Amino acid sequence: MEFALPTVLGDLRNQVRDFVDTKVIPNETAIIQEDRTKRKDTLRALQHEAKAAGLWTPHLPAELGGRGLGILGMCALFREMGRSPVGASVFHCDAPDQGNMELLRVSASEPVRERWLKPLCAAEISSAFCMTEPAPGAGADPSNLRTVAEPDGDGWKISGHKWYSTGGGDASFLIVMARTGAQAEVASGSDESATMFVVDRRAPGVTHVRDIPTMGVDLLAHREAEMRFDGVRVGPEAVLGAVGQGFRLAQVRLVPARLTHCMRWLGLTARTLDLCRAYVTSRRSFGKVLAQHQMIQVMVANAAAGIHAGNLMTMHCAWMLEQGKSKEARPYSSMAKNHVARLLVKTLDDAIQMHGSLGYSDDMPFAQWYRHARSARIADGPDEVHDIVIARDYLRGRLDVLV
Ligand SMILES: Cc1cc2nc3c(=O)[nH]c(=O)nc-3n(C[C@H](O)[C@H](O)[C@H](O)COP(=O)(O)OP(=O)(O)OC[C@H]3O[C@@H](n4cnc5c(N)ncnc54)[C@H](O)[C@@H]3O)c2cc1C
């Protein structure tokens, strides 16, 4: 069993780590403050530097401006980027654009690739993924999908109501999941009742209702849009993959995207723990530094062991995907996602605790990070749904690739 990264990848990882430490982290406050006034000067300057350093969109193939790294390589680099909440954006590897680039790359028609994929890869435009709907529509259970697409000439007419379309307000185009077949087909397991469409955000009939006020503070693309679609006309080229492949493509997008989320979250967890080390090894209470109190050591040990487990779970799942075992990887991606999301939330909560009143203040970043991190247990499927997948596959005797 080989645990070391290949030399080329290890070097690249070190390069990204160094870039994040020396350029991104010192500028992250400026990037966040500029973003609140709709400016992106510092972000754009750093993106330019990342490009010049050959670190831009490493997940994309060379013809789209990347380095053609597989999912394992992506995971290794995304962990370093994730150490700053703006890190992934600097390298143009943040959600939802990164997952959308991948989805378009494998399933878009030639006109869509020309019109939307190429400028998206160059970060000239941004995108959003519109699957979730307000109740009673699609949420944890995608078979509640209410948005419909009806045949209209050689194309389609889409009507429906979506929310939590991250970045939808600023996006140039949207990937919209809509029903194109009878719901009974979902129940029968054939899963061919939904289709994904690429929709121009400025097309007649598309309305950005609002950005939903949430627990998280605004951060670059991470604004949760509510969108309405009223008879929006798209041509046949807007279909991703083929009609009826919506649910299948959702899995193609979600499993690798889940792992890249995990690695970004592990990066942030690791940075949180680093900040804790600095405090508990310097702050004194009851005659000794905090780090000498065993209850503090338990919190540190749980976080360190959790990060290690999260790294292994995520990299193992990425390895499965690279072996072509996408179906088998699904429950493992659920395990990794649940483990890492809970770890991030718990470690941030413990970091606030270990820092006392300083931790609760905005002089430290934990409170802001926590507000974002809490969504990790809901977005991309809530914990419970992932636990159901894990338990179901285990009970059926399908989890047979445990190391
Ligand atoms: C910050 C953020 C960003 C997001 N970005 C996007 C995006 O870009 N695009 C997009 O399409 N969606 C996005 N989402 C939506 C996300 O995918 C959904 O919130 C998620 O799938 C859950 O759906 P729901 O919110 O409708 O919860 P519901 O379906 O209403 O479920 C509510 C709760 O019920 C419980 N539950 C549900 N099913 C079960 C079960 N079988 N067993 C036990 N308990 C259960 C869970 O605790 C769950 O949290 C985002 C969400 C957040 C919070």
Side-chain angles (χ1 to χ4, degrees):
M1 204 176 293
E2 178 57 69
F3 285 102
L5 290 176
T7 315
V8 176
L9 193 53
D11 290 346
L12 206 51
R13 194 234 340 237
N14 293 343
Q15 234 185 307
V16 171
R17 180 180 295 174
D18 184 57
F19 194 103
V20 170
D21 280 343
T22 58
K23 296 176 195 282
V24 179
I25 290 178
N27 282 299
E28 76 188 4
T29 308
I31 291 174
I32 292 168
Q33 280 171 356
E34 283 174 10
D35 178 58
R36 294 197 181 135
T37 56
K38 298 270 175 208
R39 283 174 43 229
K40 292 194 187 303
D41 310 0
T42 308
L43 177 65
R44 292 282 180 238
L46 285 182
Q47 286 180 332
H48 197 70
E49 280 194 54
K51 252 184 213 167
L55 302 174
W56 183 251
T57 55
H59 54 285
L60 289 174
E63 67 270 19
L64 287 169
R67 305 184 72 115
L69 292 187
I71 180 80
L72 259 175
M74 279 161 66
C75 284
L77 301 199
F78 282 23
R79 189 195 136 129
E80 300 309 320
M81 299 172 191
R83 289 176 52 251
S84 166
V86 298
S89 293
V90 169
F91 302 92
H92 195 28
C93 293
D94 204 4
D97 283 343
Q98 179 258 323
N100 291 346
M101 286 183 243
E102 191 53 23
L103 186 56
L104 259 53
R105 194 179 72 75
V106 298
S107 66
S109 62
E110 203 44 48
V112 166
R113 294 169 72 87
E114 274 301 312
R115 182 171 178 202
W116 299 121
L117 178 59
K118 285 190 179 166
L120 181 64
C121 293
E124 289 160 11
I125 60 170
S126 67
S127 63
F129 185 70
C130 308
M131 179 141 153
T132 306
E133 301 165 342
D141 178 359
S143 74
N144 286 332
L145 186 67
R146 295 274 168 126
T147 299
V148 289
E150 291 169 330
D152 181 56
D154 65 343
W156 298 84
K157 234 180 203 179
I158 302 171
S159 295
H161 187 190
K162 300 280 184 183
W163 81 339
Y164 277 87
S165 309
T166 303
D170 296 324
S172 293
F173 74 89
L174 314 165
I175 298 173
V176 180
M177 178 84 115
R179 189 168 293 293
T180 43
Q183 183 159 9
E185 293 174 35
V186 176
S188 71
S190 70
D191 278 11
E192 288 186 355
S193 67
T195 302
M196 281 191 198
F197 297 91
V198 173
V199 176
D200 183 343
R201 161 74 183 78
R202 269 90 199 161
V206 178
T207 310
H208 172 225
V209 180
R210 60 170 178 156
D211 282 340
I212 303 156
T214 67
M215 181 174 172
V217 286
D218 285 353
L219 182 70
L220 302 175
H222 298 276
R223 294 180 170 86
E224 312 310 333
E226 180 175 346
M227 312 289 307
R228 277 200 178 274
F229 301 86
D230 297 303
V232 179
R233 174 85 172 68
V234 293
E237 75 291 346
V239 171
L240 287 184
V243 173
Q245 284 190 350
F247 288 126
R248 199 184 65 73
L249 284 177
Q251 288 309 318
V252 168
R253 183 187 184 283
L254 285 174
V255 173
R258 196 168 288 150
L259 298 187
T260 58
H261 273 316
C262 284
M263 292 315 272
R264 287 186 287 255
W265 294 338
L266 282 165
L268 198 61
T269 313
R271 181 156 162 224
T272 299
L273 193 57
D274 286 349
L275 290 168
C276 290
R277 177 169 49 203
Y279 190 72
V280 302
T281 53
S282 58
R283 174 71 161 152
R284 294 183 72 80
S285 86
F286 298 97
K288 46 189 174 182
V289 287
L290 286 177
Q292 286 168 331
H293 293 289
Q294 289 183 352
M295 279 182 275
I296 296 287
Q297 291 170 9
V298 171
M299 285 191 269
V300 171
N302 282 343
I307 292 168
H308 183 52
N311 283 335
L312 293 176
M313 290 166 94
T314 314
M315 294 304 260
H316 173 236
C317 189
W319 171 84
M320 287 177 80
L321 289 179
E322 290 216 335
Q323 307 296 308
K325 296 182 175 172
S326 327
K327 192 155 178 264
E328 293 88 341
R330 197 174 161 215
Y332 294 95
S333 76
S334 289
M335 280 187 216
K337 197 264 176 179
N338 273 4
H339 170 78
V340 178
R342 288 167 181 158
L343 173 77
L344 173 62
V345 171
K346 175 80 171 85
T347 306
L348 282 167
D349 188 55
D350 285 351
I352 293 172
Q353 194 66 22
M354 282 187 255
H355 283 74
S357 53
L358 174 65
Y360 188 69
S361 78
D362 280 340
D363 288 354
M364 295 304 289
F366 308 128
Q368 279 206 28
W369 292 356
Y370 182 87
R371 290 163 71 113
H372 274 285
R374 185 60 184 82
S375 69
R377 295 189 48 206
I378 300 170
D380 179 27
D383 288 5
E384 292 83 352
V385 171
H386 290 292
D387 279 338
I388 288 168
V389 170
I390 299 163
R392 181 197 62 198
D393 283 14
Y394 179 77
L395 293 170
R396 287 178 183 168
R398 284 205 196 137
L399 292 189
D400 54 1
V401 268
L402 291 167
V403 190

